[in-house]
Amino acid sequence: MTVEAASLKAVAAARPVKRSQRSRMASVGLHAALVVASLIAVFPVFWVLVTSFKPDARAVETTPKLVNESSLDNYTRILSGEKGDFLAWFGNSVVIALMTTVLAVFLSATTGYAASRFRFPGKRSLMLSFLVVQMFPFAVLIVPLYNILLVLGLQGTSFGLVLVYCTTAVPFCTYMLKGYFDTIPTDIDEAGRVDGLTPFGVFWRLVLPLARPGLAVTAFYAFLTAWGEVAFASAFLSAADESKTLAVGLQVFVQQNRTEWGHLAAASILVAIPAIVVFYLVQRFLVTGLSSGAVKG
């Protein structure tokens, strides 16, 4: 190989390789597909919002007419208690969802930290049992859980329902947080023990502040588990109207002979607002928590 050829080859190797650029048609097609997918995802929510402003007699019309027939009557009747004790349902749902979130995050955080940092007999069986629990559908668990709550005297109580929700949320949250704790260096634990902290002190004061993204993800999951669930709430809560949660209370708008679509849509919008607020508060942690928790298992 001549000197000139070698020089040309070296210059060509030193040049940065340009990334392949999409053609204009490919870019247009990609953006069009994204727009269509976004419209498909947003349209059901938009239609429920439109229906919530219609009277029940016109709620099933396929043409949205917001100018002449829209009103806030559905929202007014629901919030005033004319159509069910909505505010009581809302308070019950908030209490149950917050209790489930706090208890599930605490249990899964301590369990996930122990599984990540310590070796103890039954560790593998414990994690495997969490995985097996996730394989059962909710309908299969209703009867055994009902019998357990009956024996404990918690059937028909809010705390009993919280424990039931934790059986669903804790296994997934434990796996998520264990994977996140695995990404935190063990040197931090050793430094804390050198400074005189107890194992729980290391966990509480050093590890948990570093695991905020993972905690946000698990808290969001636990909240949603309790907020919109229907089957367990219908089976384990008292039939009294003031004991219902929002998801169960919405059934009053679905009667045997007719469905009050306008009121049901308005109530659905009101139910979705707290979930949207919680998502807004934790959304900056979601990507980090999910990606970090999936690195190690």
Side-chain angles (χ1 to χ4, degrees), residues 13-290:
R15 290 177 180 174
V17 179
K18 295 183 178 180
R19 297 175 59 184
S20 59
Q21 298 180 354
R22 291 193 300 265
S23 65
R24 185 177 183 84
M25 290 301 297
S27 180
V28 171
L30 177 61
H31 285 81
L34 292 175
V35 170
V36 171
S38 300
L39 292 176
I40 293 175
V42 173
F43 181 76
V45 180
F46 168 75
W47 195 261
V48 172
L49 180 63
V50 171
T51 305
S52 68
F53 294 106
K54 291 183 178 182
D56 292 331
R58 299 185 178 276
V60 294
E61 291 181 349
T62 57
T63 303
K65 299 178 181 179
L66 290 175
V67 178
N68 298 325
E69 301 179 1
S70 302
S71 67
L72 297 175
D73 290 344
N74 294 332
Y75 292 94
T76 303
R77 292 176 181 176
I78 290 173
L79 294 176
S80 64
E82 182 178 344
K83 291 291 183 178
D85 199 352
F86 183 85
L87 295 180
W89 304 340
F90 184 86
N92 294 335
S93 295
V94 169
V95 171
I96 291 174
L98 290 181
M99 290 177 62
T100 301
T101 302
V102 173
L103 185 59
V105 171
F106 177 77
L107 292 176
S108 53
T110 51
T111 307
Y113 178 76
S116 174
R117 291 296 196 265
F118 305 115
R119 294 183 178 180
F120 52 88
K123 170 183 173 180
R124 185 178 181 86
S125 300
L126 175 66
M127 301 305 294
L128 182 61
S129 66
F130 285 162
L131 184 62
V132 171
V133 168
Q134 297 293 299
M135 298 179 182
F136 291 94
F138 289 166
V140 178
L141 301 176
I142 289 179
V143 174
L145 288 174
Y146 184 92
N147 293 331
I148 293 174
L149 293 182
L150 206 59
V151 172
L152 297 176
L154 296 176
Q155 169 59 25
T157 64
S158 298
F159 185 69
L161 184 60
V162 169
L163 295 180
V164 170
Y165 287 150
C166 285
T167 62
T168 303
V170 168
F172 174 82
C173 294
T174 299
Y175 262 96
M176 174 66 68
L177 287 177
K178 179 187 178 301
Y180 197 91
F181 289 141
D182 287 341
T183 65
I184 299 177
T186 57
D187 296 342
I188 296 177
D189 302 52
E190 297 175 359
R193 286 193 289 269
V194 169
D195 291 339
L197 292 177
T198 62
F200 185 80
V202 172
F203 165 74
W204 186 260
R205 298 180 61 180
L206 299 181
V207 178
L208 275 189
L210 297 176
R212 282 181 296 179
L215 294 175
V217 173
T218 54
F220 182 63
Y221 175 80
F223 180 85
L224 290 185
T225 298
W227 183 254
E229 200 277 330
V230 178
F232 286 157
S234 300
F236 300 130
L237 281 181
S238 172
D241 192 61
E242 63 274 6
S243 300
K244 295 178 179 178
T245 60
L246 282 172
V248 178
L250 295 185
Q251 297 177 6
V252 302
F253 303 116
V254 182
Q255 302 174 8
Q256 184 176 1
N257 299 323
R258 67 188 183 92
T259 301
E260 300 177 6
W261 292 111
H263 294 90
L264 181 61
S268 300
I269 295 297
L270 294 175
V271 170
I273 291 176
I276 295 173
V277 172
V278 173
F279 175 79
Y280 177 78
L281 294 175
V282 303
Q283 54 89 21
R284 64 193 183 100
F285 297 111
L286 288 180
V287 175
T288 304
L290 287 172

